[in-house]
Amino acid sequence: MAPFDLLSKFGGYYFDLDMIQRRPVTSLRNFVVEEGTGKLGSSVIHSERDHPFIKASVEEFRDDYKWYVWAHVGPDLITRVLQRLCNDYDITWMTPERCQGFRVLPAETFYPVHWMNWREYFYPRKQDDTSTEQWGDDVIGAHVWNSKSSEFKVEKHSNQYYTQLARKSCPRILD
């Protein structure tokens, strides 16, 4: 509830802690990101204070909280609320015009590696493999799926995707 409640009261950005930023996102407003599964993600959100989307999300969370159902108050909640707000079931039709100024960003903007392929972040790579540098400018951040990957080891001097991202985006952690 805390992210929805805080966004409702103050507006702003919410990012899961397992998100690595590649570039600033401050020019984007009122958005969520498609997860690549036909659902919307809850790991990256921007909402203006009191936007109808975030207000409806707070109410939905309060009225239909089911802690025992995976994703019910995360991606499923975001998807349900926007389906109602936009009056459309298909997320590909969710445009700012249909959704009271709210937008759905494509999956690759924050999920360049699909959750089913989360191990990609941790595979050992050849020293000259700089694959994350080849990601286009449309990749703003990378969600590393901590619920799946938390036990995987990050090698400080490796060429793992995770290490490549950290080296570029948060170099101090690799000192």
Side-chain angles (χ1 to χ4, degrees), residues 38-175:
K39 291 189 180 186
L40 302 172
S42 60
S43 57
V44 179
I45 302 169
H46 178 273
S47 180
E48 299 293 339
R49 179 177 179 247
D50 290 329
H51 190 282
F53 161 76
I54 205 66
K55 289 174 95 174
S57 296
V58 169
E59 292 169 7
E60 175 90 10
F61 191 100
R62 179 196 65 214
D63 297 342
D64 195 28
Y65 181 73
K66 294 180 179 149
W67 62 269
Y68 51 88
V69 179
W70 176 256
H72 186 76
V73 293
D76 291 349
L77 181 143
I78 299 292
T79 304
R80 287 191 306 272
V81 168
L82 268 179
Q83 286 171 335
R84 282 196 307 272
L85 182 74
C86 306
N87 198 28
D88 205 313
Y89 183 79
D90 187 342
I91 63 174
T92 62
W93 288 91
M94 294 179 181
T95 63
E97 296 76 30
R98 291 176 177 223
C99 302
Q100 299 181 39
F102 224 80
R103 72 178 58 212
V104 174
L105 299 178
E108 61 270 9
T109 57
F110 286 95
Y111 307 123
V113 174
H114 189 275
W115 74 268
M116 291 178 67
N117 300 323
W118 62 269
R119 287 179 179 85
E120 287 283 322
Y121 284 114
F122 304 96
Y123 287 146
R125 304 210 177 266
K126 296 177 187 171
Q127 206 53 31
D128 61 348
D129 182 356
T130 56
S131 301
T132 61
E133 290 177 10
Q134 295 171 12
W135 289 348
D137 286 340
D138 54 335
V139 179
I140 298 168
H143 190 248
V144 297
W145 311 108
N146 191 54
S147 63
K148 303 280 184 194
S149 67
S150 63
E151 300 297 320
F152 268 66
K153 188 174 182 180
V154 176
E155 298 290 339
K156 182 176 178 179
H157 300 290
S158 76
N159 239 20
Q160 295 168 308
Y161 280 173
Y162 188 97
T163 307
Q164 288 178 38
L165 289 165
R167 195 175 291 124
K168 289 247 185 219
S169 302
C170 349
R172 288 187 174 174
I173 68 166
L174 293 174
D175 287 347

